[in-house]
């Protein structure tokens, strides 16, 4: 038999292999030797062979034939063999292997060995790979060692106990009595282990948690000792005395103080002391401060302490160390909902972090910035977000666009700003927006009827500039189709007038139709838009006819079908063309075409056999009339416009028909009730959602006076068992002459189903005079059960001039 | 609690692996591969924390070796950086200016030192001197036996 090569020699040989194949060859030979060695039995070489096998295992080669050897070596009386045997057990055996059970007996014996280093090996191995069965067997031994042994063994036994509890939670009771007494140890290792053990016990069992709350003063004492102690070379890390132990104690205090006032009070002073005195110039100090902040935020701490914690996080944001900035933002993200105002103070720094190099930091900064947007700062925040969008890394773009759309929807100060913002996003990052963006934007545009002219001009110009961003092109085509007449008129208040001829418009649409960059859906939009223009332009109808007939033989099935149908509209149904292609009604958010993923719902012409809800007489102002109709179907955001009487009869009957045709769609009649009216200010309450235990209402303030109403704010009070949550208001200024309104959503959680009453205090300034009034609402407007009667109700209210 | 601790080189070669949770061999291999790919592809001036599945990964590069550990959500990442640093200090003290080759050729000693510092995914001893003394004493015990047996260590 060739003499066995020493371990280091073998490593050298393996490393010198130049190819994977050569290495495999060497390893195969070595493994064969090792196997032979194992078979030979005890000759003093076994530990060498196992060590070699462990190296081979680390390189990724199979080593299962060494498992039994580990068992044998562990049972050996020689320390060197035990040492490598236990290491092998930890590396090769895990609880799923049968061989692991065989070492239980050896471990048991070694736990009572005369040498503490042998005991240590056994404890370490048990804590590393002990299965539930082994733990059950050996738990009493561990408990004994916990109580009566030297520090070296005690600290190991403690962590072994932690492992046992994790594996077999029922054994927790066994260790609870000894755990408490361990806190009086002076040795840091034992103390640390004790804190870990107590933490584990408390997390497993709420009763034990109550029991250990009594230990809070003791823990506070230990912590104080660490914080104020003089320099101790043994435990010092960058000026902090044993940061590992400090962090663990803070974590335990967090668990003990959570939801408990007495415990939280007992630790207030300590936390303030740690927060102010810890030097955070190095990572060790920052780690302690970080844990302190987490603890402060999770217990019932007083508000001054919470502000201190948020300020620490704010300071972290300015730290040079990137890790600390990242940590700070993850923590701020967790508390931004509950301590919104405190975090708002650091908004500037957070927005600056959007420009950081690190993508993870950027991502956190983006999430936080979006959470911090409110009605007050929306304009400045949006500027920053749009700048960020133009330079942000590609993996963050879709998150950014969705975030921007969400906050724009919630807090936009005006419709025009909203539309501008969406257009800006589409031009910058059109490829990364969600699919619903196009129908959402179209719906928004239809509701902003005063901006149709402005919107179509802007979109036309964007379209002429470039046609690569599909969502933008789709919206632009739709608008040009719808409002082409406004585009051609040329004048628009808010934008410089540019003369656009019919040919220009048709050229633009044709470019889209023919471009290879346009997706099939986009071309569908363009074709329909071209068709719609046939009723809105005067001179070039023939050109449209020819375009449409060309596409009658297009390869794309969708386009072909559309073209054929439009052709038919020109030929056989020309008398209906005007009616079919007229202006679309204002769309509510719940209308069927809106929820459809692709927008073909809005673009396909309505079935000519459907009775048209509007008669010829209404062609002149379609939008305002039909607005009422759709309002009956769903909650639109547009204020109801006054409806001239002559249209009343036909609209009622056809609205019923329309409702029947829509069949399964349940109308959600939204009822508003005026609760307060004074000095031109009208406050309405609108019931959005009502279940047995929860009601969601929106309070709407409108102003019909000559002057703006400023400093408008609402406070609410509810009966005791009801929980009230008031969301952020959309603003605090209500413009005069009914030009705008302020909305605030209120959620009432009524678990005991008491009768709901709410008292609202309205405060506002009008012409420099402060007003304050209280109004009590005893009953909420509820959705009626009969759709028919609901229609009549809302209808009559809208008919009033 | 720490779930695992890995040491690997810039070429992705594993130098040490300590697992504090029972996982099948196949899964361990996959995790090692995931970790090496993720950590080695990080750009130089980025932060040392990553998210992987539901764990927080903390890594730090020391010369040619990457030290990488996985923590649970409630663990303190900044402290984990300190833990990795403490382990490097312990190795440094033991080997005297430790380098990657020391850990390659004396991997079993690196494990012995780690087993005196961490246990069951938690810190076992916070004093550097104490750990150094224990490892030294164990080595003495081994050598005494070896001397007695008049055989070289491993």
């Amino acid at each position: 038999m060739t003499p066995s090569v020493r371990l280091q020699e073998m490593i050298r040989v393996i490393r010198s292999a130049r190819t994977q194949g050569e290495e495999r060859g060497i390893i195969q030979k070595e493994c064969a030797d090792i196997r032979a060695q194992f078979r030979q039995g005890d000759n003093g070489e076994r530990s060498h062979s196992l060590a070699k096998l462990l190296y081979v295992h680390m390189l990724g080669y199979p080593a299962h034939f060494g498992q039994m050897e580990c068992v044998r070596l562990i049972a050996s009386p020689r320390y060197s063999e035990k040492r490598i045997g236990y290491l092998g057990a930890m590396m090769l055996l895990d609880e799923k292997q049968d061989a692991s059970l065989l070492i239980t007996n050896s471990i048991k014996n070694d736990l009572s060995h005369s040498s503490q280093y042998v005991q240590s090996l056994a404890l370490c191995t048990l804590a590393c790979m002990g299965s539930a069965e082994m733990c059950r067997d050996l738990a009493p031994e561990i408990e004994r060692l916990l109580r009566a042994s030297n520090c070296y063994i005690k600290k190991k036994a403690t962590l072994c106990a932690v492992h046992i509890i994790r594996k077999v939670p029922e054994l927790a009771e066994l260790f609870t009595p000894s755990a408490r007494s361990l806190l009086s140890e002076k040795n840091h290792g034992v103390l640390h282990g004790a804190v870990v053990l107590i933490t584990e016990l408390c997390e497993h069992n709420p009763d034990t948690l109550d029991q250990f709350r009594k230990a809070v003063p003791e823990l506070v004492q230990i912590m104080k000792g660490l914080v104020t102690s003089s320099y101790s070379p043994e435990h010092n890390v960058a000026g902090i005395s044993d940061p590992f132990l400090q962090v663990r104690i803070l974590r335990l205090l967090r668990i003990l103080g959570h939801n408990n006032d007495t415990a939280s009070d007992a630790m207030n002073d300590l936390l303030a002391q740690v927060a102010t005195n810890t030097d955070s110039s190095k990572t060790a100090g920052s780690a302690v401060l970080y844990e302190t902040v987490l603890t402060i935020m999770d217990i019932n701490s007083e508000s001054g302490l919470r502000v201190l914690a948020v300020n620490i996080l704010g300071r972290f944001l300015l730290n040079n160390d990137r890790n600390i900035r990242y940590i700070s933002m993850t923590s701020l993200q967790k508390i931004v909902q509950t301590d919104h105002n405190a975090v708002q103070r650091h908004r500037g720094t957070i927005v600056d972090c959007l420009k950081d190099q690190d993508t993870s930091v950027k991502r956190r900064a983006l999430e936080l910035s979006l959470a911090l947007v409110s009605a007050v700062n929306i304009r400045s925040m949006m500027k920053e977000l749009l700048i960020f969008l133009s330079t942000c890394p590609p993996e963050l773009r879709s998150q950014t666009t969705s975030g921007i759309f969400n906050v724009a929807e919630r807090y936009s100060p005006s419709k025009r700003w909203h539309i501008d913002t969406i257009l800006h996003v589409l031009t910058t990052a059109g490829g990364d927006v969600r699919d619903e963006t196009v129908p959402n934007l179209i719906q928004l545009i239809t509701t902003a009827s005063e901006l149709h002219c402005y919107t179509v001009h802007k979109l036309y110009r964007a379209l002429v500039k470039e046609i690569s961003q599909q969502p933008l092109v789709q919206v632009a085509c739709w608008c040009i189709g719808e409002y082409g007449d406004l585009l051609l008129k040329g004048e628009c208040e808010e934008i410089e007038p540019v003369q656009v001829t019919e040919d220009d418009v048709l050229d633009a649409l044709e470019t889209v139709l023919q471009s290879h960059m346009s997706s099939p859906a986009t071309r569908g939009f363009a074709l329909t838009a071209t068709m719609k223009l046939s009723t809105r332009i005067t001179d070039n109808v023939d050109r449209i006819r020819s375009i449409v007939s060309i596409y009658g033989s297009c390869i794309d099935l969708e386009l072909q079908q559309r073209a054929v149908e439009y052709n038919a509209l020109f030929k056989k149904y020309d008398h209906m063309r005007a009616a079919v292609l007229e202006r679309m009604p204002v769309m509510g958010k719940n209308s069927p075409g809106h929820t459809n993923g692709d927008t073909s719902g809005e673009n396909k012409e309505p079935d000519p056999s459907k009775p048209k809800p509007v008669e010829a007489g209404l062609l002149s102002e379609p939008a305002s009339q039909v607005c009422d109709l759709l309002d009956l179907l769903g909650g639109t955001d547009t204020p109801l416009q006054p409806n001239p009487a002559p249209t009343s009869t036909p609209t009622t009957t056809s609205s019923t028909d329309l409702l029947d045709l829509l069949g399964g769609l349940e109308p959600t009649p939204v009822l508003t009730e005026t609760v307060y009216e004074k000095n031109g200010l009208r406050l309405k309450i609108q019931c959005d959602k009502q279940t047995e235990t929860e009601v969601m209402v929106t309070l709407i303030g409108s102003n019909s006076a000559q002057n703006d109403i400023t400093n408008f704010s609402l406070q609410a009070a509810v009966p005791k068992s009801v929980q009230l949550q008031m969301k952020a208001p959309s603003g605090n200024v209500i413009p005069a002459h009914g030009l705008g309104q302020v909305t605030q959503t209120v959620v009432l959680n009524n678990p005991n189903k008491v009768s709901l009453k709410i008292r609202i205090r309205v405060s506002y300034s009008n012409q420099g005079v402060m007003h304050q009034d209280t109004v009590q609402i005893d009953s909420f407007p509820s959705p009626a059960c009969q759709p028919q009667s609901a229609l009549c109700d809302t209808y009559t209210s809208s008919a009033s001039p | 609690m720490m779930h695992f601790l890995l040491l690997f080189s810039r070429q992705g070669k594993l130098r040490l692996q300590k697992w504090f949770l029972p996982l099948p061999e196949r899964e361990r291999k996959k995790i090692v591969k995931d970790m090496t790919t993720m950590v080695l592809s990080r750009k130089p001036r980025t932060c040392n924390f990553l998210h992987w599945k539901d764990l927080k990964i903390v890594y730090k590069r020391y010369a040619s070796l990457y030290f990488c550990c996985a923590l649970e959500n409630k663990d303190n990442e900044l402290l984990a950086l300190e833990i990795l640093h403490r382990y490097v200090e312990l190795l440094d003290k033991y080997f005297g200016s430790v380098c990657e080759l020391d850990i390659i050729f004396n991997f079993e000693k690196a494990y012995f030192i780690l087993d005196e510092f961490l246990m069951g995914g938690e810190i076992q001893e916070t004093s550097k001197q104490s750990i150094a003394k224990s490892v030294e004493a164990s080595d003495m015990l081994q050598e005494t036996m070896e001397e007695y047996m008049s055989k070289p260590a491993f």
Side-chain angles (χ1 to χ4, degrees):
Chain A
M1 228 221 62
T2 52
S4 60
V5 178
R6 294 176 55 164
L7 170 67
Q8 294 187 343
E9 194 52 46
M10 182 196 82
I11 296 177
R12 205 163 289 132
V13 170
I14 292 176
R15 280 168 63 78
S16 63
R18 273 158 300 166
T19 66
Q20 187 74 10
E22 207 180 316
E23 184 183 283
R24 250 196 304 257
I26 298 173
I27 299 228
Q28 256 175 356
K29 182 177 157 307
E30 286 297 335
C31 283
D33 280 345
I34 293 170
R35 257 189 269 243
Q37 259 302 323
F38 288 165
R39 275 196 298 270
Q40 270 203 338
D42 183 8
N43 59 355
E45 298 285 329
R46 290 189 303 168
S47 44
H48 307 171
S49 305
L50 186 59
K52 282 191 251 176
L53 183 61
L54 293 180
Y55 181 80
V56 163
H57 169 76
M58 189 149 63
L59 289 178
Y61 295 91
H64 42 81
F65 57 88
Q67 286 173 3
M68 280 315 293
E69 199 58 27
C70 296
V71 177
R72 272 183 232 121
L73 282 175
I74 287 173
S76 151
R78 296 188 201 123
Y79 179 71
S80 60
E81 292 188 342
K82 271 198 203 290
R83 214 180 184 194
I84 199 77
Y86 274 117
L87 180 63
M90 286 193 272
M91 283 175 75
L92 300 179
L93 294 175
D94 61 42
E95 56 183 42
K96 306 224 173 47
Q97 317 288 353
D98 299 324
S100 61
L101 285 174
L102 298 172
I103 62 175
T104 314
N105 213 30
S106 300
I107 294 183
K108 193 175 203 158
N109 291 335
D110 285 338
L111 282 176
S112 346
H113 200 276
S114 49
S115 161
Q116 65 178 10
Y117 299 107
V118 173
Q119 285 178 301
S120 149
L121 289 175
L123 285 165
C124 194
T125 309
L126 182 60
C128 180
M129 45 77 70
S131 65
E133 261 187 67
M134 286 162 74
C135 289
R136 257 187 273 262
D137 271 341
L138 300 166
E141 274 301 301
I142 306 297
E143 204 273 330
R144 187 182 60 81
L145 289 172
L146 245 178
R147 279 182 289 112
S149 53
N150 62 22
C151 291
Y152 182 70
I153 295 300
K154 238 187 228 179
K155 75 184 184 209
K156 293 184 189 253
T158 320
L159 287 178
C160 210
V162 172
H163 175 84
I164 292 176
I165 295 172
R166 284 178 183 151
K167 278 285 176 208
V168 189
E170 302 88 63
L171 288 172
E173 300 159 338
L174 183 61
F175 298 107
T176 315
S178 355
R180 184 78 166 75
S181 50
L182 284 172
L183 278 182
S184 34
E185 293 278 338
K186 290 281 169 272
N187 179 296
H188 281 222
V190 181
L191 211 44
H192 187 280
V195 174
V196 176
L197 179 59
I198 296 176
T199 312
E200 196 66 34
L201 289 168
C202 291
E203 280 173 352
H204 271 270
N205 190 339
D207 295 321
T208 328
L209 178 63
D210 282 328
Q211 215 178 319
F212 277 110
R213 276 214 185 93
K214 301 192 197 93
V216 169
E218 206 173 331
L219 288 164
V220 168
Q221 262 322 98
I222 300 173
M223 192 66 191
K224 267 209 179 95
L226 288 171
V227 173
T228 55
S229 76
S230 50
Y231 179 82
S232 138
E234 205 183 337
H235 299 290
N236 183 68
V237 180
I240 312 285
S241 182
D242 207 341
F244 306 106
L245 182 57
Q246 287 197 28
V247 165
R248 251 6 255 252
I249 294 181
L250 285 167
R251 195 163 134 185
L252 177 57
L253 287 175
R254 180 155 82 238
I255 296 172
L256 295 175
H258 183 68
N259 268 341
N260 185 297
D261 284 326
T262 353
S264 303
D265 283 336
M267 41 180 104
N268 256 317
D269 285 340
L270 169 73
L271 292 172
Q273 192 179 8
V274 176
T276 32
N277 289 350
T278 309
D279 172 22
S280 62
S281 50
K282 295 288 173 67
T283 315
S286 304
V288 173
L289 270 181
Y290 174 46
E291 198 74 30
T292 314
V293 166
L294 290 178
T295 303
I296 292 176
M297 300 314 286
D298 213 33
I299 62 172
N300 302 356
S301 45
E302 38 185 56
S303 58
L305 202 54
R306 289 181 86 90
V307 170
L308 181 60
V310 178
N311 286 347
I312 292 178
L313 290 178
R315 238 175 37 229
F316 275 0
L317 276 179
L318 301 165
N319 197 304
N320 282 332
D321 188 338
R322 192 165 286 113
N323 294 327
I324 294 182
R325 285 208 296 274
Y326 179 86
I327 292 289
S328 152
M329 280 199 276
T330 22
S331 316
L332 285 170
Q333 183 75 33
K334 286 188 212 141
I335 63 175
V336 73
Q337 299 299 335
T338 47
D339 294 74
H340 192 93
N341 291 334
V343 181
Q344 276 281 5
R345 249 174 258 143
H346 302 281
R347 197 180 70 239
T349 331
I350 293 171
V351 168
D352 281 337
C353 286
L354 284 171
K355 303 178 190 109
D356 198 294
Q357 300 286 348
D358 186 348
T359 315
S360 333
V361 171
K362 272 201 189 53
R363 188 192 304 267
R364 294 271 166 265
L366 174 65
E367 285 165 7
L368 261 178
S369 306
L370 290 171
L372 287 177
V373 175
S374 73
V376 179
N377 58 33
I378 176 78
R379 285 188 195 263
S380 49
M381 284 299 277
M382 190 52 80
K383 267 201 210 88
E384 296 289 343
L385 287 169
L386 289 173
I387 295 173
F388 175 68
L389 182 62
S390 49
T391 55
C392 82
E395 59 265 24
L396 290 180
R397 291 184 92 160
S398 49
Q399 195 180 347
T400 315
T401 54
S402 339
I404 289 179
F405 287 153
N406 279 337
V407 298
E409 198 167 308
R410 283 170 66 191
Y411 298 113
S412 65
S414 73
K415 281 244 160 71
R416 178 172 150 187
W417 182 93
H418 195 173
I419 290 177
D420 278 343
T421 308
I422 300 187
L423 290 180
H424 191 136
V425 173
L426 287 180
T427 14
T428 328
D432 297 294
V433 298
R434 280 198 315 249
D435 294 330
E436 314 90 76
T437 311
V438 173
N440 279 344
L441 179 56
I442 290 178
Q443 186 262 330
L444 182 65
I445 292 174
T446 55
T447 59
S449 45
E450 67 276 13
L451 291 170
H452 286 164
C453 189
Y454 167 77
T455 314
V456 72
H457 271 275
K458 236 181 145 187
L459 282 168
Y460 172 74
R461 277 165 223 208
L463 188 68
V464 164
K465 234 196 267 176
E466 75 154 326
I467 55 172
S468 57
Q469 303 278 30
Q470 297 306 299
L472 185 63
V473 173
Q474 288 173 2
V475 177
C477 288
W478 190 90
C479 280
I480 292 174
E482 265 306 285
Y483 309 119
D485 47 331
L486 296 175
L487 180 62
L488 294 167
K489 254 195 276 184
E491 41 185 74
C492 180
E493 304 168 340
E494 292 151 280
I495 210 168
E496 314 145 13
V498 160
Q499 201 49 28
V500 181
T501 66
E502 293 180 4
D503 276 317
D504 292 333
V505 177
L506 287 173
D507 282 340
L509 286 175
E510 254 194 301
T511 320
V512 174
L513 266 173
Q514 292 162 357
S515 163
H516 62 280
M517 284 193 282
S518 304
S519 70
T522 311
R523 295 167 85 194
F525 270 90
L527 187 62
T528 307
T530 313
M531 187 60 193
K532 282 194 206 171
L533 282 177
S534 71
T535 51
R536 288 159 175 78
I537 61 175
T538 45
D539 299 330
N540 286 349
V541 184
D542 285 332
R543 184 174 169 187
I544 294 181
R545 227 190 287 257
S546 61
I547 295 176
V548 165
S549 59
I550 291 174
Y551 278 88
S553 43
C554 174
I555 288 182
D556 183 278
L557 197 58
E558 170 74 22
L559 280 179
Q560 192 190 104
Q561 181 178 350
R562 289 186 187 210
V564 166
E565 286 178 4
Y566 294 157
N567 248 332
L569 206 53
F570 265 124
K571 301 208 169 77
K572 228 168 106 179
Y573 297 99
D574 201 40
H575 57 282
M576 290 183 71
R577 186 160 52 92
V580 168
L581 294 176
E582 57 157 30
R583 278 263 205 282
M584 291 286 277
V586 171
M587 282 173 248
K589 276 210 173 259
N590 295 324
S591 56
H594 183 260
T595 48
N596 205 357
D598 68 315
T599 53
S600 50
E602 286 113 49
N603 286 309
K604 287 221 174 70
E605 78 235 43
D607 181 6
S609 62
K610 221 191 273 186
K612 288 308 295 174
V614 281
E615 308 287 347
L618 297 176
L619 262 177
S620 42
E621 342 164 45
S624 47
Q625 259 69 24
V626 200
C627 153
D628 290 307
L629 196 65
L630 267 307
D631 188 46
L632 298 168
L633 288 173
T636 54
D637 294 334
T638 43
L640 292 171
Q641 289 163 8
N643 198 13
T647 58
S648 51
T649 346
T651 2
T652 345
T653 37
S654 21
S655 66
T656 340
D657 290 339
L658 199 60
L659 211 50
D660 284 344
L661 288 165
L662 290 171
L665 185 76
E666 308 170 334
T668 47
V670 171
L671 286 166
T672 56
E673 212 177 86
T674 306
V675 295
Y676 172 80
E677 203 169 333
K678 199 175 168 187
N679 293 334
L681 169 67
R682 176 189 284 189
L683 185 65
K684 290 192 275 214
I685 186 166
Q686 172 182 297
C687 187
D688 295 327
K689 180 173 95 161
Q690 190 174 48
T691 63
E692 289 210 320
T693 53
E694 193 179 288
V695 175
M696 189 159 96
V697 297
T698 304
L699 297 163
I700 307 169
S702 58
N703 178 9
S704 58
Q706 305 284 350
N707 302 86
D708 294 347
I709 285 177
T710 54
N711 296 327
F712 177 76
S713 81
L714 297 167
Q715 289 164 299
V718 288
K720 264 208 191 117
S721 62
V722 179
Q723 286 142 21
L724 173 75
Q725 191 188 7
M726 291 185 86
K727 307 270 169 144
S730 65
N732 59 359
V733 173
I734 314 181
H737 304 295
L739 285 176
Q741 57 189 25
V742 165
T743 58
Q744 186 164 13
T745 309
V746 178
V747 180
L748 296 157
N749 193 3
N750 185 9
N752 297 346
K753 299 188 203 159
V754 305
S755 67
L756 273 177
K757 297 185 212 290
I758 180 169
R759 187 174 295 176
I760 298 181
R761 179 188 288 175
V762 184
S763 20
Y764 57 95
S765 289
N766 189 2
Q767 290 176 280
V769 179
M770 273 294 295
H771 297 270
Q772 213 177 62
D773 277 311
T774 315
V775 56
Q776 178 146 330
I777 303 168
D778 291 322
S779 66
F780 287 82
S782 59
C785 3
Q786 297 294 335
Q788 292 295 80
S789 51
L791 283 173
C792 294
D793 283 349
T794 23
Y795 177 67
T796 38
S797 66
S798 68
S800 55
Chain B
M1 149 183 178
M2 200 182 282
H3 280 217
F4 55 80
L5 174 68
L6 304 174
L7 265 70
F8 47 85
S9 69
R10 284 186 52 69
Q11 286 76 40
K13 291 217 126 154
L14 194 62
R15 300 298 179 208
L16 187 141
Q17 52 175 337
K18 188 75 188 177
W19 301 88
F20 296 109
L21 277 186
L23 287 167
E25 189 70 39
R26 202 179 53 239
E27 197 154 330
R28 288 184 185 186
K29 284 208 169 119
K30 184 166 183 315
I31 292 178
V32 171
K33 210 160 102 184
D34 284 345
M35 288 298 120
T36 43
T37 329
M38 258 181 18
V39 172
L40 290 174
S41 61
R42 290 282 278 177
K43 297 204 225 357
R45 270 185 310 277
T46 51
C47 69
N48 297 62
F49 310 132
L50 287 168
H51 272 278
W52 182 78
K53 299 202 180 164
D54 58 339
L55 298 172
K56 297 197 255 206
I57 309 291
V58 178
Y59 72 93
K60 189 117 200 268
R61 182 174 156 205
Y62 287 92
S64 57
L65 268 185
Y66 281 91
F67 286 65
C68 167
C69 65
L71 308 170
E72 292 175 340
N73 250 321
K74 41 194 175 149
D75 292 322
N76 186 325
E77 299 99 307
L78 292 174
L79 198 72
L81 283 175
E82 285 298 311
I83 293 177
L84 294 177
H85 191 74
R86 174 57 65 93
Y87 183 45
V88 172
E89 285 178 331
L90 291 168
L91 290 170
D92 199 57
K93 184 103 189 296
Y94 184 81
F95 288 108
S97 237
V98 67
C99 62
E100 192 183 341
L101 282 177
D102 288 323
I103 300 182
I104 295 171
F105 282 95
N106 299 285
F107 71 94
E108 79 281 5
K109 300 217 174 55
Y111 275 103
F112 296 150
I113 296 172
L114 185 62
D115 286 337
E116 287 293 324
F117 177 42
L118 299 176
M119 195 158 107
E122 307 281 355
I123 300 172
Q124 159 192 170
E125 176 60 67
T126 56
S127 153
K128 270 189 281 191
Q129 290 93 323
S130 192
I131 297 178
K133 263 190 244 151
S134 322
V135 178
E136 209 182 301
S138 315
D139 283 348
M140 286 295 288
L141 197 59
Q142 190 174 294
E143 270 164 33
T144 321
M145 288 296 183
E146 290 298 334
E147 274 164 14
Y148 176 72
M149 302 285 293
S150 61
K151 284 274 186 341
F154 298 154

